[in-house]
Amino acid sequence: MTGTATFEIRKSAPPGVTRTAEDPLSWRGLGLDSLAGMLALSLRRLGNRSFEADCQWPRLHPLNERDLAVTHHPLIMAESTRQIAAALRGRRMPPTARGCEPVGVRLGLDPGSRPVERGAATDVPARVTVSDMEVRAGELVSFRVTAEYLYAGQVFGTCALLFAEVRTIDGDRTAGLPRPPGLLHPAAAAVGAAAEPDVMVARAAQGRLVILPRDPGHPFFLAGRPRCLPVLAVAEAGRQAALLRHGGTASSVMGLSVQLGAPVPLSGAALEVDAEPGGARFVVLAEGRPVASGSVTVPLP
């Protein structure tokens, strides 16, 4: 039986209390490979399904460009949201179904209030809500975590992660597809990546694009070495493909969204990109079948 969850998130605050004590997080508890990847530091309850978190974004994060003044990579915000969700799942939420994983991401950034980091790291508080909780046989099978990120008291970005079960397709081959001949990786600068190992796409014959991570073991994208490409890696591949086809810099991306329809192979899936006013849309194909879609938003000239 499936339906909207009616139970409350655990450890509800007593009446009249708007905050609970800080809940420090650990990199192991967040399922990270090392402390270096930790972005979410602590979590506090505000209400039944509302929280606030403290995040810290290093200027020298692997995804950021190497510069004296850095505008943080947009997917650092998405990874922070994923880590907050991991903390909520482990400490605050009812039991979650085994196959319930991130299948959709949507983020937006305000270019006028985004922080630029010139020192070691940016302290970023976040306001977090949990919504759209659905239960089956006593386990959560889908829910949404939405985080608003603040700097100098102003919201500069919002990110929502949708968790659900990814449906499989006939003949699913998630480990990787056969590589077309003659693949060439573009330069990192052409796709808004900080370094050559961060390039996620390659050009095939007739200018076709495929997802082909140069570093399949990149800890940011493939923590835990999953069998298929995580939604944030698909989002980054789509972002790079849009910048490669239609121009722009890493800091020019103001919005990004991805929805998985089926598992995306770790490498070899095709990317089709079409321009639209204010950005581009993309579709990910595995053996000719669509498995994911998304969009990238850039400021209008």
Side-chain angles (χ1 to χ4, degrees), residues 39-40 55 57 75-85 149:
L39 298 171
C55 300
W57 297 353
L75 282 179
I76 291 178
M77 183 169 70
E79 171 62 7
S80 298
T81 307
R82 190 197 66 79
Q83 292 183 18
I84 291 170
Y149 292 89

Side-chain angles (χ1 to χ4, degrees), residues 22 50 65-66 120-122 138 161 171 173 175 238 250 261 263 268:
E22 182 175 88
S50 61
E65 296 177 289
R66 296 299 181 260
T122 307
L161 274 183
R173 292 193 294 175

Side-chain angles (χ1 to χ4, degrees), residues 128-183:
V128 183
T129 57
V130 181
S131 61
D132 302 331
M133 299 171 69
E134 294 187 8
V135 65
R136 181 189 303 136
E139 292 183 326
L140 280 176
V141 294
S142 69
F143 61 95
R144 190 185 311 272
V145 174
T146 303
E148 291 183 323
Y149 292 89
L150 298 89
Y151 181 72
Q154 292 187 332
V155 175
F156 69 87
T158 301
C159 180
L161 274 183
L162 175 64
F163 288 73
E165 295 177 288
V166 181
R167 65 177 180 85
T168 59
I169 55 177
D170 294 338
D172 175 34
R173 292 193 294 175
T174 54
L177 298 173
R179 299 185 180 187
L183 289 176

Side-chain angles (χ1 to χ4, degrees), residues 198-217:
D198 298 330
V199 175
M200 298 285 291
V201 298
R203 293 182 188 269
Q206 289 82 48
R208 293 182 296 114
L209 294 177
V210 298
I211 300 178
L212 188 69
R214 294 200 69 166
D215 180 8

Side-chain angles (χ1 to χ4, degrees), residues 58-71:
R59 178 170 65 89
L60 296 179
H61 188 280
L63 288 181
N64 282 341
E65 296 177 289
R66 296 299 181 260
D67 206 340
L68 295 178
V70 168
T71 301

Side-chain angles (χ1 to χ4, degrees), residues 81-96:
T81 307
R82 190 197 66 79
Q83 292 183 18
I84 291 170
L88 288 170
R89 291 179 73 172
R91 302 176 179 218
R92 302 283 187 174
M93 299 180 70
T96 307

